[in-house]
Amino acid sequence: MLGVRDLFRVGIGPSSSHTVGPMKAAHSFAATLAGRGVARVRCDLMGSLAWTGAGHATDKAVVLGLAGFLPDAIAPEQIDMIVEQARKERELVVGGRVITFDPDADIVFDRDSATPVHPNTLQFVAYDADGATIETQRWCSIGGGFIVPEDMVGISLSGEEEATPPFPFRTGTDLLAICRAHGLSIAEVMRANELALTSTAELEAYLDRVIEVMMTCIDRGMQADGILPGRLKVPRRARALRQKLDGDRFRNRQAPHSIMDHISLFAIAVNEENAAGCRVVTAPTNGAAGVVPAVLRYYRDFWPGADRAGMHDFLLTASAIGVLTKLNASISGAEVGCQGEVGTASAMAAAGLAAAMGANERQIENAAEIAMEHHLGMTCDPIAGLVQVPCIERNAFGAIKAVNAASLSLRGDGTHVVSLDQVIETMMRTGTDMHAKYKETSQGGLAVSFPEC
């Protein structure tokens, strides 16, 4: 059973599947090499990782992982220093041993090899001093920072030692039935399942940590200025937008729709931080990292009676929707397009907000369904392979849709024609049918319509 720790993970930008996942895979590979006489390591990036890996800092992530760093622990300011030192000295400490390593030669962007299991595939090979192969591993980065050995994709990795959750569910129908049978809210179901694995104090501390990182990321993004990394030279906008909104408020000339601008500001602030490789919460991916924090900030700052308990219920409920999508479809842009990233994030945020505002389980399911339904078919076509255009603004619109979906659901009684399960199934079918050039390869859509000078 997946839970809140799987859907909300502290990490670094710009991509969960192309940065966080490869970093974790490289770290796992390096951990197997200790004491084995390794002299050289090679990493082949295949599929979407090859096509857009340079713009997503996948090569940097591999260097960091091989050097023993993990996304939730490394300080963002360390990243460039570690990578540049490896490039300059052509050496790296891997598995406790200094080896010859040239990132420009030993990390290969392989755009030709097939990726039969998942479009985000990495192959690692370690050699001894005589050039003989010591270890070979193939990993898949399946979205949201999740990594799986290639031969284990699609196989449950749950160990027998894990406690069985009291309320296991796989579909929205299951979840609603549990709520009705036991008189529980969706947040209460998720809380009970989490407490089968951890204590109340540990769960609340984790939720508080997620909230703190999300809010700090928004604050930092609203203060930062300058140009985002990459050849597009995209200027940050969040700071100027905040200043204009503050100016209107102080002059008492706020437009009735200015709340939409605040929500957009919060999402843009997060995704500009993500694009800069800073600390974010994967929610459920980095490319969609701004949606949930923006809507949560809207609840915290603008909803009467907002409190810590409401924010906890928000995240627990949102994670339930993420679980449903992860189990029955995909949150990987390389697999199903951006409908699986921003679409899922919007559904999660809509459900979380509805719960925090007092909706019942049927209204919450309706909110998630509305939000996801109106992202169906959305492609993942980042210009220049950077998580910037259209990704940053796309998060703002995902957040606005989430608030609208929650509001619409609260105006009804939860009755609706299409179920969340049906929308999730449709999203997966749509993603399967979608041409590969629209799924995080930057070979179609906006990525080829934009003239680069």
Side-chain angles (χ1 to χ4, degrees):
M1 193 74 225
L2 299 174
V4 68
R5 287 175 175 78
D6 300 301
L7 277 303
F8 299 115
R9 302 181 178 192
V10 177
I12 57 170
S15 171
S16 49
S17 60
H18 288 57
T19 314
V20 174
M23 187 173 174
K24 291 167 63 178
H27 181 277
S28 182
F29 176 68
T32 68
L33 302 179
R36 298 181 63 183
V38 61
R40 188 170 72 87
V41 169
R42 172 184 168 120
C43 175
D44 289 84
L45 306 173
M46 293 172 276
S48 177
L49 297 180
W51 286 104
T52 63
H56 288 69
T58 308
D59 49 346
K60 289 185 178 181
V62 168
V63 173
L64 296 170
L66 290 173
F69 294 93
L70 284 171
D72 60 346
I74 191 169
E77 57 270 18
Q78 290 181 277
I79 294 173
D80 287 338
M81 179 184 68
I82 294 167
V83 174
E84 287 310 310
Q85 183 176 353
R87 269 203 180 95
K88 179 180 178 181
E89 299 179 359
R90 297 186 180 181
E91 288 183 345
L92 195 65
V93 178
V94 178
R97 179 187 178 97
V98 178
I99 68 169
T100 299
F101 185 80
D102 181 359
D104 296 323
D106 295 325
I107 299 176
V108 178
F109 291 84
D110 178 0
R111 298 179 177 179
D112 298 320
S113 295
T115 54
V117 177
H118 194 279
N120 293 333
T121 301
L122 310 85
Q123 176 171 285
F124 296 96
V125 183
Y127 305 92
D128 65 16
D130 296 324
T133 299
I134 296 175
E135 179 76 17
T136 300
Q137 294 181 10
R138 287 171 69 95
W139 289 84
C140 294
S141 180
I142 61 174
F146 289 83
I147 57 167
V148 185
E150 187 181 50
D151 59 355
M152 296 293 287
V153 172
I155 300 174
S156 173
L157 299 179
S158 299
E160 293 182 0
E161 74 282 357
E162 291 186 358
T164 301
F167 303 115
F169 61 88
R170 188 171 185 90
T171 67
T173 300
D174 294 342
L175 182 57
L176 293 179
I178 291 169
C179 291
R180 287 193 298 269
H182 298 276
L184 298 173
S185 69
I186 292 175
E188 288 170 336
V189 170
M190 289 300 295
R191 182 180 294 274
N193 286 345
E194 292 287 339
L195 293 181
L197 301 171
T198 189
S199 68
T200 298
E202 289 171 335
L203 174 60
E204 293 192 348
Y206 189 84
L207 294 172
D208 287 339
R209 167 66 171 155
V210 168
I211 292 168
E212 184 269 331
V213 174
M214 285 181 172
M215 298 303 111
T216 299
C217 186
I218 291 173
D219 292 334
R220 196 173 54 228
M222 291 192 298
Q223 296 167 2
D225 208 352
I227 304 297
L228 294 174
R231 66 179 185 267
L232 294 181
K233 306 300 181 185
V234 174
R236 285 182 181 251
R237 292 184 293 167
R239 181 179 178 180
L241 179 56
R242 176 184 61 82
Q243 290 171 340
K244 290 177 181 178
L245 288 171
D246 286 347
D248 288 346
R249 178 164 58 87
F250 294 139
R251 287 190 289 271
N252 197 29
R253 64 179 194 187
Q254 296 182 89
H257 64 267
S258 64
I259 190 64
M260 295 170 60
D261 293 333
H262 283 280
I263 297 167
S264 295
L265 164 64
F266 300 149
I268 289 170
V270 170
N271 282 87
E272 287 180 346
E273 285 290 285
N274 179 64
C278 298
R279 176 85 63 226
V280 299
V281 175
T282 300
T285 68
N286 281 33
V291 178
V292 171
V295 179
L296 186 62
R297 181 68 165 246
Y298 162 73
Y299 167 74
R300 192 198 77 172
D301 289 0
F302 294 98
W303 186 255
D307 57 15
R308 176 173 175 260
M311 297 178 82
H312 284 191
D313 284 350
F314 184 116
L315 291 178
L316 288 166
T317 305
S319 66
I321 305 306
V323 165
L324 294 175
T325 308
K326 181 72 179 153
L327 290 175
N328 296 292
S330 174
I331 57 173
S332 169
E335 193 169 17
V336 295
C338 198
Q339 58 174 354
E341 297 202 30
V342 170
T344 299
S346 187
M348 291 170 63
L353 180 61
M357 295 193 301
N360 62 40
E361 69 276 5
R362 293 175 65 210
Q363 292 170 316
I364 291 168
E365 186 260 0
N366 188 199
E369 178 271 323
I370 294 171
M372 184 171 288
E373 182 178 50
H374 299 292
H375 284 88
L376 290 176
M378 182 175 283
T379 59
C380 183
D381 50 354
I383 295 175
L386 298 166
V387 193
Q388 297 177 14
V389 183
C391 318
I392 295 172
E393 282 185 356
R394 190 166 282 177
N395 276 256
F397 279 84
I400 294 294
K401 287 184 182 181
V403 175
N404 195 22
S407 181
L408 283 173
S409 71
L410 280 161
R411 300 291 183 187
D413 61 3
T415 302
H416 53 291
V417 175
V418 179
S419 72
L420 177 60
D421 288 336
Q422 290 169 324
V423 171
I424 291 173
E425 180 185 356
T426 301
M427 187 264 279
M428 188 62 191
R429 286 203 312 267
T430 303
T432 301
D433 292 341
M434 192 181 291
H435 195 286
K437 69 182 180 181
Y438 298 114
K439 294 190 287 189
E440 210 165 359
T441 60
S442 290
Q443 293 178 284
L446 285 175
V448 298
S449 299
F450 177 79
E452 292 190 59
C453 300

